[in-house]
Amino acid sequence: MSAESARTIVLPSGEEIAALGQGTWYLGEDPARREQELAALRMGVDLGMTVVDTAEMYGDGAAEELVGEALRGRREEVFLVSKVLPGHADRKGTVAACERSLRRLGTEQLDLYLLHWRGRWPLEETLAGFTDLMEAEKIRYWGVSNLDVADMAELTTLPGGDAAAVDQVLYNLSRRGIEWDLLPWCREAEVTVMAYSPIEQGRILKVEALGAVARALGATPAQVALAWVLEQGVAAIPRSGSPDHVRENRGAVDLHLPTEALDALDEAFPPPSGPTPLEML
């Protein structure tokens, strides 16, 4: 499981990033777990899970502070992602929120900055803030999260709106609605799709069909679920505050699912048969 064997995803710019990264939702909120969570994040980077995703919302900045501590002295090894809350996402608010995130993270630049979901501010306002941040070299790329096809299509009509690098959405075996329209749209538009909660916060791991596939492959249910997301050409950012779970997750990178496994998963978790409203957690 060397870092060198990691799968990658290509951004619209042509830059490659790790297909399997690390999420941080709910991390940094329990002082008793801090050392374990720091160890987990650092182990993930050691194992090549070098996309680290966080947000100002997570623990009201606590997750960003945790990430900043975990990455101290090795910022250059990771592709660092954070997000602006919709309520902050006017032009000036987007810039100010990013600057607060940068301070908590202990860095001068984010690799990717996302609108967490669509709120009351027009997309033009947020895009203007992203543009200001790009010009100030405080972010390298910008993108969105929880935007469906209609939102993405609207975004691309705005000046510079076709430069979105990523749409980060809820996607896993039990949440396949984006396969009907959003995923094909993003592929055509060359927008990278990144899946949050790729194992449905653990809820799908007890499904017997998933367990049967895992046993047949000598893998764990979590590894199969993550490998399935990667097989779709989608990046995944599972959260884990445990080094053991991080090591387990990393095994998904080297797991390739044969046709019979994919067929069994399709039977247990059917693809969408029509348009489905974008789901969120």
Side-chain angles (χ1 to χ4, degrees):
M1 296 198 307
S2 68
E4 289 73 17
S5 69
R7 300 189 201 181
T8 60
I9 293 283
V10 181
L11 296 174
S13 67
E15 181 174 344
E16 294 186 14
I17 62 173
L20 184 66
Q22 303 182 81
T24 60
W25 197 5
Y26 297 118
L27 298 190
E29 299 180 22
D30 182 354
R33 297 180 58 85
R34 189 173 189 84
E35 291 306 315
Q36 179 175 269
E37 291 171 352
L38 289 169
L41 286 166
R42 291 166 180 154
M43 174 175 284
V45 176
D46 291 341
L47 294 175
M49 298 164 65
T50 51
V51 173
V52 178
D53 176 89
T54 189
E56 65 169 336
M57 184 189 81
Y58 301 162
D60 195 23
E64 289 180 324
E65 292 173 351
L66 181 81
V67 169
E69 183 176 349
L71 300 182
R72 195 170 297 150
R74 51 191 316 188
R75 166 68 181 92
E76 72 285 351
E77 298 178 48
V78 306
F79 186 90
L80 186 57
V81 185
S82 194
K83 312 178 194 74
V84 57
L85 278 165
H88 297 159
D90 62 328
R91 182 173 188 165
K92 290 183 178 179
T94 297
V95 172
C98 183
E99 290 172 343
R100 291 191 296 269
S101 290
L102 290 172
R103 286 194 293 271
R104 286 189 290 264
L105 288 160
T107 187
E108 296 181 354
Q109 186 182 62
L110 290 172
D111 295 293
L112 176 65
Y113 197 41
L114 307 176
L115 172 63
H116 209 150
W117 65 89
R118 191 167 184 179
R120 62 189 176 93
W121 292 108
L123 292 173
E124 294 95 326
E125 283 282 317
T126 312
L127 183 53
F130 287 155
T131 300
D132 292 343
L133 289 165
M134 292 275 289
E135 291 176 351
E137 298 187 349
K138 293 180 179 178
I139 64 173
R140 296 178 57 229
Y141 305 110
W142 65 268
V144 294
S145 181
N146 297 303
L147 263 62
D148 208 344
V149 172
D151 299 310
M152 294 301 293
E154 179 184 341
L155 182 65
T156 61
T157 68
L158 304 176
D162 59 353
V166 165
D167 189 9
Q168 185 184 115
V169 294
L170 176 62
Y171 181 56
N172 57 55
L173 278 165
S174 67
R175 310 268 195 167
R176 297 182 62 175
I178 68 167
E179 294 174 20
W180 184 263
D181 47 14
L182 181 62
L183 190 53
W185 189 97
C186 287
R187 286 170 176 159
E188 178 67 23
E190 297 184 340
V191 175
T192 298
V193 176
M194 186 177 288
Y196 72 83
S197 298
I199 58 173
E200 187 64 12
Q201 298 181 339
R203 285 183 289 271
I204 64 174
L205 300 184
K206 295 182 180 179
V207 175
E208 173 52 31
L210 178 58
V213 170
R215 289 191 296 273
L217 296 176
T220 69
Q223 289 170 340
V224 172
L226 290 171
W228 179 87
V229 172
L230 301 182
E231 293 276 358
Q232 314 310 309
V234 173
I237 47 168
R239 179 203 74 227
S240 179
S242 157
D244 287 343
H245 285 161
V246 168
R247 191 180 294 107
E248 177 187 357
N249 290 345
R250 176 57 180 80
V253 172
D254 303 311
L255 180 63
H256 293 272
L257 304 179
T259 301
E260 55 269 27
L262 294 170
D263 290 345
L265 293 171
D266 279 345
E267 184 173 349
F269 302 95
S273 57
T276 305
L278 185 66
E279 297 180 281
M280 294 175 57
L281 286 177

